Amino acid sequence: IGLEAFAADGARFDDIRLYSVTPQCYDGLQDGDETGVDCGGSCSFQDCCANRAWDAPLGEGGVDCGGSCSLVCQPADQLDRWTQTNGPWLEYIRRIRFDPDDPDTLIVSSNTGSGVIKSTDSGQTWHEISDGISPMNVFGLALDPEDKGVMYAGTANGRLFATEDGGATWELLWEYTDVDDALWTVEVDPEDRERLFVGMGDYTGCDGRIYRSENRGETWDKVLDVDPTSDWDGGFISHVAFDPTDSDIMYATTGIGDWCGGGDPGDPDAFSYGIWKSIDGGTNWFTVTHGLSDLTVSHLVIDPTDPQTLYAGVGCVDDAIYLDGNVFKSTDGGANWQPLDVSPGNPITRLALHPDDPQKVYAMGYSGVFYSEDGGAHWTKLDENFKAAVYTFFYEHAFAPDDADTMFV
């Protein structure tokens, strides 16, 4: 979730900001802190002009910078203007969630000691809401689809905490003790709030398992073990996705782009097991990997208008596998996968479909942000303009509920 960034001076390697594509003007003026240019005018602005300089008479939202525009001139719906919010400073932002009734309220999780953090002003100020969570290393974070006050948080030592008061207090709901694993993935069935899923994943070692509860966490059953012959197979459950038309159809990815699991360079399945699918609510699972050239799959998205159409992001920075493209597409529910020509040689760790037009695809990874407006047939690279960030990974994204052209990463 979110972005890993290294400080430009190299002195620290934990300087992390949450970014959005909406300019943040704390004093009501765009004065240089928002985009790296000194506008001295209204924060509202439109597209960059053709000569990539802000000139008020030319209609750039009434903003006269008098200097070079650091943003590439592209349509606004390509989400090419990335603006730094006012924190939080975290090493890993793992999950981003919005209050369904208040688009200014965000809740994020961090696995580096900050727990769960909340903002009620679109990211300008933040406060911790982790009372009761221990340790304060939170990976998975999920909201109840019917009651926004109910949330679940998975920690680095296999504990699942729950809150019923919007994060004011948390209580231990379940503890995983089979292997010392983190609860990387926590999900609530969008059609059945009684059904919870947790998936294991940890940089120090993990076992590729998914557990399911059908009574809101009172009891749990193991429903997937990617390698039942091993107690420590390294199967990283990085993501669980539900078919938007039928939540009994599920997909699980088993890799992560910044940890190759210690396998031999070039091994396509070193501690990764591709994509798994269930059609019965998680009771039974089978692999859907035909056509994948790399089984380190970090993320998967489903076209809500055609659930047979899937996109998967693959690759790992330390893996010697070189692909011409690190996004794969399936049009038959994962039975077959075809490579797409985007992000050659660099992993894609996050994918997004525009809420208003799923033909607009965003692929985010180690080498930047890529955009397609025709379902992945053609791609362009967007200039991310991340302030002071010279090394980036994307673990999460969220579109603002009141503005489909605003994304947080």
Side-chain angles (χ1 to χ4, degrees), residues 156-234:
N157 65 344
R159 293 178 177 180
L160 182 67
F161 290 84
T163 178
E164 295 184 352
D165 53 18
T169 59
W170 297 80
E171 294 185 358
L172 180 65
L173 181 64
W174 179 64
E175 187 169 6
Y176 174 71
T177 58
D178 288 358
V179 183
D180 186 15
D181 265 355
L183 301 187
W184 182 278
T185 302
V186 178
E187 299 292 345
V188 183
D189 187 323
E191 297 178 4
D192 182 359
R193 67 191 299 251
E194 296 289 318
R195 184 184 293 177
L196 312 180
F197 294 88
V198 295
M200 310 302 157
D202 195 333
Y203 289 108
T204 60
C206 55
D207 192 52
R209 301 178 181 182
I210 294 178
Y211 282 76
R212 179 185 66 187
S213 173
E214 298 189 276
N215 49 22
R216 294 184 65 191
E218 292 184 17
T219 59
W220 294 82
D221 297 302
K222 181 173 65 176
V223 293
L224 174 63
D225 189 338
V226 297
D227 185 1
T229 65
S230 172
D231 289 332
W232 193 90
D233 53 47

Side-chain angles (χ1 to χ4, degrees), residues 1-237:
I1 149 180
L3 172 70
E4 176 186 3
F6 287 80
D9 60 7
R12 294 179 59 195
F13 291 93
D14 60 354
D15 290 343
I16 305 304
R17 288 281 189 173
L18 185 68
Y19 283 77
S20 77
V21 294
T22 302
Q24 303 294 323
C25 292
Y26 314 125
D27 57 0
L29 299 177
Q30 193 168 17
D31 56 12
D33 290 334
E34 294 78 34
T35 62
V37 293
D38 188 3
C39 298
S42 169
C43 182
S44 300
F45 60 87
Q46 303 299 319
D47 288 341
C48 183
C49 60
N51 64 1
R52 300 185 181 182
W54 294 101
D55 302 305
L58 300 183
E60 294 84 46
V63 181
D64 187 4
C65 295
S68 173
C69 173
S70 62
L71 307 173
V72 176
C73 301
Q74 292 174 325
D77 65 1
Q78 289 191 14
L79 296 170
D80 62 322
R81 300 194 193 93
W82 296 94
T83 309
Q84 186 175 333
T85 71
N86 192 28
W89 286 93
L90 303 170
E91 184 174 351
Y92 290 110
I93 300 172
R94 294 300 184 186
R95 297 291 182 265
I96 306 172
R97 299 291 182 258
F98 273 97
D99 184 320
D101 300 320
D102 182 2
D104 291 329
T105 297
L106 298 89
I107 302 170
V108 306
S109 65
S110 164
N111 70 301
T112 49
S114 297
V116 182
I117 307 97
K118 183 176 183 179
S119 172
T120 58
D121 52 14
S122 297
Q124 295 188 33
T125 59
W126 297 84
H127 62 278
E128 185 182 292
I129 53 168
S130 304
D131 185 24
I133 295 179
S134 178
M136 296 274 284
N137 308 95
V138 178
F139 285 91
L141 180 68
L143 275 64
D144 187 291
E146 298 180 15
D147 184 350
K148 66 180 184 181
V150 176
M151 295 184 288
Y152 303 91
T155 66
N157 65 344
R159 293 178 177 180
L160 182 67
F161 290 84
T163 178
E164 295 184 352
D165 53 18
T169 59
W170 297 80
E171 294 185 358
L172 180 65
L173 181 64
W174 179 64
E175 187 169 6
Y176 174 71
T177 58
D178 288 358
V179 183
D180 186 15
D181 265 355
L183 301 187
W184 182 278
T185 302
V186 178
E187 299 292 345
V188 183
D189 187 323
E191 297 178 4
D192 182 359
R193 67 191 299 251
E194 296 289 318
R195 184 184 293 177
L196 312 180
F197 294 88
V198 295
M200 310 302 157
D202 195 333
Y203 289 108
T204 60
C206 55
D207 192 52
R209 301 178 181 182
I210 294 178
Y211 282 76
R212 179 185 66 187
S213 173
E214 298 189 276
N215 49 22
R216 294 184 65 191
E218 292 184 17
T219 59
W220 294 82
D221 297 302
K222 181 173 65 176
V223 293
L224 174 63
D225 189 338
V226 297
D227 185 1
T229 65
S230 172
D231 289 332
W232 193 90
D233 53 47
F236 209 116
I237 306 297

